[in-house]
Amino acid sequence: MKIALITDQHFGARNDSIQFLDFYQKFYEETFFPTLEKENIDTVLILGDTFDRRKYVNFYTYKRAREMFFDKLHSRGILVHMLAGNHDTYFKNTNEVNSIRLLLQ
């Protein structure tokens, strides 16, 4: 098993900036996924703060995150484990409501 770690992606940063999403996509296409393939990585650990806001997720940002990151992991058969960061949870005192459980299962 070979593992890659990624953290603090903050999809939706800077008011759901399209320029930031485009920059993220360039990173995933040119660096992240080619490295996974080159190194034969089969598992990705996401260490939190996948989305930028704890209170809501913009639909366009969610769509782009799915297309550029999550769907590509799934189509490659890469196993994903995610931790909820403080930006991924709605409440500050519990992880009961979080973007990971609600949006990405």
Side-chain angles (χ1 to χ4, degrees), residues 29-46:
E29 289 177 356
E30 296 179 8
T31 304
F32 187 76
F33 285 104
T35 301
L36 294 184
E37 290 175 19
K38 178 182 172 205
E39 299 295 330
N40 295 313
I41 292 170
D42 58 8
T43 304
V44 171
L45 303 179
I46 302 171

Side-chain angles (χ1 to χ4, degrees), residues 84-100:
N86 65 311
H87 285 249
D88 300 316
T89 59
Y90 185 81
F91 296 109
K92 292 184 179 185
N93 61 347
T94 178
N95 290 342
E96 183 178 335
V97 179
N98 66 74
S99 60
I100 297 162

Side-chain angles (χ1 to χ4, degrees), residues 16-33:
D16 297 292
S17 165
I18 292 174
Q19 291 82 10
F20 268 67
L21 289 170
D22 291 344
F23 181 76
Y24 293 169
Q25 185 164 351
K26 181 178 178 183
F27 165 73
Y28 294 123
E29 289 177 356
E30 296 179 8
T31 304
F32 187 76
F33 285 104

